[in-house]
Amino acid sequence: MRRLVQATILLALLLTLSGIATAQSSIPLHSKPDSGSNLVYEFTTKIDAEPRRRFGTWLELEMPDGRVGWMDVSAVDEPFDLSEFPEADAVEIGMADPSPDPSALAAAIGGLSVLFVLASISGSLLYFLPTIIATARQHRFGLLIFLTNLLLGWTVIFWLVALAISIGRAQKRPAD
C-alpha cells in the first residue's frame, strides 16, 4: 500500500514537471476569465502551456503556438502557488470599464455648469424680451405685457402677442 502511494505521488510529480496536471478529462481555455467567453482551445489529459498571470480563480496560459487563453483554476491540480503569478488588471483584460479620471470629470462638470448658466441666462433674456422692450420704451401697458409674458409666454402665441404689443406704437406712460 505504501508503494502505491509513493508511486502515485511520483506520477503526480512527473506530470507536474512536464506540464500542468488536470483534474478533468478536458479543460476549456477561454478568451477571457469568464466561463461564458469564447472557447480558444480545449485541453485533454496534459496541458502544455506556460502560466502567465492570474485573475481571481482564473489563470492565463500561453501555449507553444502563441495562443493565449484563460483557464479556471478549479479544473487543475495546483502544482504551483497561484500567488507567484502577477494579478491581471481588470481593465487591461476587458473585465471592467476604466474608471474616469476625477480631474477630467470635474473639468467636464465645471464646463457643463458654465454652459448651463449661460444657457439659462440667455433663455431668460429671450423669454422676457417683450418685457425688456416694453420697459426700455416705457410702454404704458408695461405691467400688462410683463404679466402676459410671465404667465402665458410659454404658449409662444401669447409671447408673440406680448412682443407685438411691446414693439407696437403706443403712447408713453404719463410722467408723475
Side-chain angles (χ1 to χ4, degrees):
M1 180 69 161
R2 189 175 188 160
R3 287 188 177 240
L4 181 62
V5 172
Q6 288 176 342
T8 305
I9 291 172
L10 182 60
L11 181 61
L13 183 61
L14 288 173
L15 284 174
T16 299
L17 294 175
S18 64
I20 300 171
T22 64
Q24 300 174 349
S25 59
S26 68
I27 297 176
L29 195 64
H30 295 274
S31 59
K32 290 184 178 182
D34 177 19
S35 57
S37 65
N38 294 334
L39 190 64
V40 175
Y41 188 76
E42 193 156 0
F43 290 107
T44 56
T45 64
K46 180 180 146 280
I47 299 171
D48 187 23
E50 184 69 31
R52 293 173 53 187
R53 55 189 176 168
R54 64 185 164 85
F55 182 74
T57 62
W58 291 79
L59 183 65
E60 185 182 40
L61 300 173
E62 182 176 4
M63 297 190 304
D65 64 2
R67 286 185 290 179
V68 176
W70 292 86
M71 176 178 53
D72 191 359
V73 174
S74 64
V76 180
D77 294 332
E78 295 185 42
F80 47 83
D81 183 16
L82 282 179
S83 64
E84 70 183 67
F85 299 102
E87 183 75 25
D89 182 51
V91 174
E92 184 182 320
I93 60 174
M95 295 302 290
D97 293 332
S99 58
D101 179 17
S103 61
L105 186 60
I109 291 173
L112 288 175
S113 298
V114 169
L115 185 62
F116 178 75
V117 168
L118 289 175
S120 298
I121 292 171
S122 300
S124 297
L125 288 173
L126 181 65
Y127 184 81
F128 285 106
L129 185 63
T131 301
I132 294 168
I133 293 171
T135 304
R137 295 182 69 206
Q138 296 179 352
H139 201 286
R140 79 180 221 195
F141 298 120
L143 181 60
L144 179 65
I145 292 170
F146 169 71
L147 290 174
T148 303
N149 194 187
L150 179 67
L151 300 174
L152 299 171
W154 61 271
T155 62
V156 180
I157 292 172
F158 282 100
W159 185 87
L160 290 171
V161 168
L163 181 65
I165 294 171
S166 69
I167 61 175
R169 196 171 200 183
Q171 297 174 354
K172 290 186 179 180
R173 260 182 268 174
D176 293 331

